[in-house]
């Protein structure tokens, strides 16, 4: 049984993680953490997740329960995630990071911590998205510079970072396939007299509204034809199942920073 602590336990992803961990015969919920002063503190995590009493109270202090864990699964916010990662490193506990919106400096901090503990970090833990990443690399390499690339992503109204981490990773993959960098090629939205589109740019556009779980569309627009690759998440369970899969794999690994492609390749 993989002893698992869930941070961000009262969020959408956290609640589904608790529910699916409870239903997984190879996982056990060892703890649940949320931000201080949340009204769920002290309540049973299973009741918060809608799966009944699990006798695991929601806590605000990871330091008190990290010693019970084999692995932490984190879907929270960057500042909290980095604090959790520091505690994981001190305790020698593996960590799966699904949080997005990290700055370049914060990502460097994650790399540093991962020299001491095994860590999986991925902007999207869906198997389908991992397949789409590979398809995008192949399409960009095969189509070459004769096709303009635009990325469109849509998420629920409460998502705080834009573009999504998944869209950014797609942009990085496409830029690398064209021997570019996303920093140089990325164009984020357009307004006003923007001029003629360049041959090298990669357009990036974000939609926020309602309860959209997550949609990513990549358009390759050529002369006389257009190719579109689309991934639509119909529920959060595909992300959660991927995170649990990553956690169970990670606890047997050496220190280092891994991605979902490593998890999938190994199985």
């Amino acid at each position: 049984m993989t002893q698992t602590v869930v941070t961000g336990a009262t969020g959408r992803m956290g609640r589904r993680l608790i529910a699916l961990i409870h239903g997984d015969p190879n996982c056990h919920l060892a703890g649940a953490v949320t931000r201080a002063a949340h009204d769920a503190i002290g309540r049973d995590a299973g009741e918060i997740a809608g799966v009944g009493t699990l006798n695991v109270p929601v806590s605000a202090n990871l330091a008190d329960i990290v010693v019970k864990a084999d692995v932490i699964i984190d879907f929270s916010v960057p500042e909290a995630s980095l604090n959790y990662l520091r505690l994981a490193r001190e305790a020698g506990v593996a960590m799966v990071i699904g949080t997005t919106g990290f700055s370049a400096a914060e990502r460097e901090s994650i790399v540093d911590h991962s020299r001491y503990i095994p860590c999986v970090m991925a902007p999207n833990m869906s198997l389908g998205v991992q397949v789409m990443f590979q398809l995008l690399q192949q399409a960009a390499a095969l189509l070459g510079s004769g096709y303009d690339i635009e990325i469109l992503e849509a998420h629920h109204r409460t998502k705080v970072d834009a573009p999504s981490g998944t869209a950014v990773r797609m942009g990085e993959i496409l830029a690398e396939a064209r021997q570019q960098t996303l920093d140089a090629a990325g164009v984020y939205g357009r307004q006003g007299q923007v001029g003629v589109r360049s041959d090298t740019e990669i357009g990036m556009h974000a939609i926020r509204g309602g309860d959209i779980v997550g949609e990513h569309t990549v358009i390759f627009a050529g002369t006389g034809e257009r190719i579109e690759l689309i991934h639509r998440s119909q529920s959060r369970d595909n992300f959660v199942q991927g995170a649990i899969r990553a956690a169970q794999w990670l606890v047997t690994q050496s220190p280092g920073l891994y991605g979902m492609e490593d998890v999938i390749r190994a199985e």
Side-chain angles (χ1 to χ4, degrees):
M1 298 280 282
T2 304
Q3 301 297 321
T4 308
V5 169
V6 174
T7 58
T10 53
R12 291 182 175 91
M13 290 295 293
R15 295 196 302 271
R16 288 308 296 158
L17 273 164
I18 291 166
L20 269 65
I21 287 170
H22 174 59
D24 191 314
N26 299 312
C27 262
H28 178 260
L29 184 69
V33 177
T34 193
R35 67 183 185 276
H38 194 285
D39 60 11
I41 298 295
R43 293 178 58 192
D44 190 271
E47 294 175 359
I48 295 293
V51 293
T53 302
L54 299 180
N55 295 315
V56 178
V58 177
S59 172
N61 194 346
L62 178 62
D64 291 341
I65 58 178
V66 68
V67 293
K68 303 176 183 178
D70 297 319
V71 62
I72 298 164
I73 303 180
D74 171 67
F75 286 87
S76 58
V77 296
E79 182 180 2
S81 185
L82 289 172
N83 183 50
Y84 298 147
L85 183 57
R86 177 182 59 80
L87 292 170
R89 172 179 168 177
E90 291 173 359
V93 171
M95 187 160 169
V96 175
I97 302 174
T99 300
T100 60
F102 293 107
S103 68
E106 288 169 336
R107 292 177 68 89
E108 283 301 313
S109 179
I110 292 169
V111 171
D112 180 62
H113 285 302
S114 70
R115 296 189 178 99
Y116 302 90
I117 59 171
C119 180
V120 164
M121 182 170 69
N124 192 309
M125 297 189 180
S126 155
L127 175 60
V129 165
Q130 306 312 310
V131 172
M132 188 167 175
F133 286 162
Q134 295 185 33
L135 293 175
L136 290 175
Q137 193 280 330
Q138 294 175 34
L142 290 169
L143 294 172
S145 60
Y147 287 72
D148 298 324
I149 298 175
E150 298 285 315
I151 301 171
L152 175 66
E153 59 97 342
H155 285 84
H156 52 89
R157 67 190 309 274
T158 60
K159 184 171 176 61
V160 298
D161 59 313
S164 70
T166 303
V168 171
R169 182 59 190 141
M170 289 177 173
E172 291 171 344
I173 289 168
L174 292 163
E176 289 164 8
R178 289 185 161 188
Q179 299 183 329
Q180 300 171 275
T181 66
L182 186 58
D183 285 344
V187 174
Y188 297 85
R190 298 184 180 89
Q191 183 180 14
Q193 298 296 317
V194 297
V196 176
R197 189 190 198 283
S198 73
D199 293 335
T200 59
E201 68 189 63
I202 295 174
M204 191 87 73
H205 312 276
I207 293 171
R208 296 291 177 266
D211 61 354
I212 302 169
V213 175
E215 298 184 4
H216 294 85
T217 302
V218 178
I219 300 170
F220 296 88
T223 302
E225 65 177 2
R226 179 171 81 243
I227 299 170
E228 296 184 6
L229 294 176
I230 304 172
H231 180 274
R232 296 189 178 97
S233 295
Q234 298 172 162
S235 81
R236 290 176 175 79
D237 284 7
N238 59 333
F239 309 133
V240 171
Q241 289 164 350
I244 293 172
R245 179 176 176 178
Q248 293 174 339
W249 174 82
L250 189 63
V251 294
T252 65
Q253 304 307 306
S254 301
L257 185 60
Y258 303 94
M260 280 302 292
E261 64 275 13
D262 298 303
V263 179
I264 294 167
R265 191 182 301 122
E267 296 185 355

